Amino acid sequence: MPGRRKFLQTSLFGGIAVLLRKNISPLTEVEQPFTKGNPIVISTWNTGLEANKAAWKILVANGRALDAVEEGVKVTETSLNCCVGLGANPDRDGFVTLDASIMDESFNCGSVAFLERIMHPISVARRVMEKTPHVMLVGSGAQQFAIAEGFPIEEQKLSPDAHKNYEQWLKTSEYKPVINIENLQKTHGPSTPTGQSGEFNHDTIGMLAMDANGNLSGSCTTSGMGFKMRGRVGDSPIIGAGLFVDNSVGACVATGQGEDIIRISGSHTVVELMRHGLSPQEACKKAIERIVKIKKAKAKEIQVAFIALNNKGQVGAFAIHKEFDYAVHTNTEEKLIKSPSWF
Ligand code: SD4
């Protein structure tokens, strides 16, 4: 039946009851057989719920998936107390530096890296895609381009949360990324390894959408790992690592330890696995397995998660560690899904 969703349940009844109370679904695979006019948007982490709403407004009005994934993640970039954008944790020198990428249904793509003092790196990435002969601009060149395109230059100032986290981090000045998870306090207690006091310690939103014409697009925007070396760039702005879209197969976006996502060209790998017949869920799992094998015992210390959407409208995800959620919005439901994980 068109539009029918099939849910694969992986939890016991008790677990389901708890999760439903929290509006977190235990379901691990959503299948939405593609029919024209049946759009879908998915995004990483619980911040994806709000971002999906903005994307959905565009999809439901028969807009392009490309517009949806740009507008969606802009919501997260704007929320200054959040994990993404100018409100996020700085690098070890105390500056917030941003990376973003966007890709449409025709292999058009654009990205920015090491961009400072611009509120919406995702929109600058789109301008790079649409207005330059290049795919990627970085640092002062990216900022110069953004200003020339009319993007306002923002004040150089840490958000109150980021300021507090940075002060705390300076006490040891040790770069030791903590595993990106949600429900941080549940796992670490009130004093978390980097001093972060909120419910989560992730720094990224990745979003994938299919519009009413069956076209796919994706976006990814991040402040990168907090307290990174100045000039460090992660996977998010690297097409094929943080994000990849092939309209004839599917799309994938990544979050977590960027260095280890780059190592296996993560998002491209997931799309290639789907091309060879794996479901989005299986493809994400296989790519995670590859990272776990490479990292050996160190896999316990890092988080990586992939979410994927194929061109039939099926979605899936897989993470190294638990406490990775992703948000799904279809024409009948909006929910947070708990991703299955290696550990
Ligand atoms: C990075 N992948 O810069 C990003 C970080 C991230 O949640 O996803 N944090 O490596």
Side-chain angles (χ1 to χ4, degrees), residues 184-195:
L184 192 61
Q185 287 180 344
K186 198 175 83 191
T187 315
H188 288 287
S191 143
T192 60
T194 55

Side-chain angles (χ1 to χ4, degrees), residues 23 40-56 68-69 71-77 79 82-84 182 200 202 204-208 219 221 253 255 307 324-330 333-337:
N23 192 29
I40 178 167
V41 56
I42 65 173
S43 54
T44 57
W45 305 109
N46 54 12
T47 43
L49 284 172
E50 278 311 299
N52 283 358
K53 284 187 202 299
W56 188 255
V69 297
E71 287 308 315
V73 302
K74 274 170 74 178
V75 169
T76 325
E77 286 179 340
S79 58
C82 178
C83 46
V84 171
E182 284 174 334
F200 50 73
H202 46 81
T204 302
I205 179 163
M207 179 176 278
L208 306 171
S219 62
T221 181
V253 70
T255 185
I307 63 170
F324 168 63
D325 302 326
Y326 65 108
V328 178
H329 197 321
T330 67
E333 60 196 348
E334 283 179 71
K335 61 162 70 170
L336 207 53
I337 298 182

Side-chain angles (χ1 to χ4, degrees), residues 45 99 180 202-204 222 224-225 232 234-236 255-259 261:
W45 305 109
D99 302 336
N180 285 165
H202 46 81
D203 329 271
T204 302
T222 186
M225 308 299 283
R232 180 266 188 190
D235 60 302
S236 306
T255 185
Q257 183 77 36
E259 285 74 4
I261 298 165

Side-chain angles (χ1 to χ4, degrees), residues 4 30-35 38 40 210 214 216 247-250 274 277-280 309-315:
R4 189 172 66 89
V30 175
E31 188 180 314
Q32 190 193 31
F34 173 67
T35 49
N38 208 6
I40 178 167
M210 183 168 65
L216 297 170
N247 219 41
S248 68
V249 177
M274 292 195 286
L278 270 62
S279 73
L309 166 65
N310 70 13
N311 69 346
K312 297 192 201 83
Q314 297 167 310
V315 313

